[in-house]
Amino acid sequence: MFNLDERYRGLPATREQILALHTSLNAPHVAIPGKQAGPSQAFVVGLRGGQGAAVFVYLYLAEAEDCAVYLSGRRNMTADEYRDDESEALAFVESLGFMMDDANWRAQPAEQQDELLKTLPVFFKDPKQVPAVKARAEEKKNVTTTLGRFLAAF
């Protein structure tokens, strides 16, 4: 059973900590309690930490510049328990309408892994710091500034 944990805003990790990464192929409209509903991306991430392995479900709400992180709460898992949690996490996000794809993290070259760590929202501490969100905010600022200058010319 995966439960929403408001303490998490992202899952910053190193390449070595990531056991598995699954990403959504689609962006269904999702309503999460206490969050603005809208199209979302899903990520299922297996991470190794100081207290053992854990499986996380990260839902990224791009329009709201927000996220929701779900976890099973189980740590120090055996390999079988980890696989069970990973399967349960995938079933959970698929029940929300996501079609998931295994990113084959371990088969990716180090350069590709580094690129994913720099671009996927799941690996940022704050969803507002995702490069695409920052670029959109800068674009809005530039449009406003340009419009202001245009109107001031008259």
Side-chain angles (χ1 to χ4, degrees), residues 69-146:
V69 180
Y70 292 81
L71 59 142
S72 71
R74 199 160 41 171
R75 295 276 198 283
N76 293 321
M77 297 186 225
T78 66
D80 288 338
E81 290 172 332
Y82 173 81
R83 281 191 291 280
D84 288 346
D85 270 9
E86 187 177 37
S87 294
E88 188 178 321
L90 291 167
F92 172 64
V93 294
E94 288 169 354
S95 74
L96 295 174
F98 292 99
M99 294 183 302
M100 300 302 289
D101 182 43
D102 186 347
N104 292 316
W105 181 261
R106 292 178 182 238
Q108 297 286 341
E111 302 80 32
Q112 181 70 27
Q113 290 175 343
D114 288 338
E115 184 63 26
L116 292 172
L117 286 169
K118 292 177 192 170
T119 57
L120 292 180
V122 65
F123 299 119
F124 286 81
K125 279 188 176 187
D126 181 357
K128 291 179 178 21
Q129 297 303 312
V130 175
V133 171
K134 287 172 63 174
R136 196 167 44 248
E138 186 64 30
E139 184 179 301
K140 283 181 183 178
K141 180 180 154 193
N142 290 340
V143 167
T144 303
T145 302
T146 303

Side-chain angles (χ1 to χ4, degrees), residues 55-73:
V55 177
F56 296 86
V57 171
Y58 179 94
L59 301 181
Y60 178 61
L61 308 159
E63 288 180 359
E65 299 176 5
D66 202 355
C67 68
V69 180
Y70 292 81
L71 59 142
S72 71

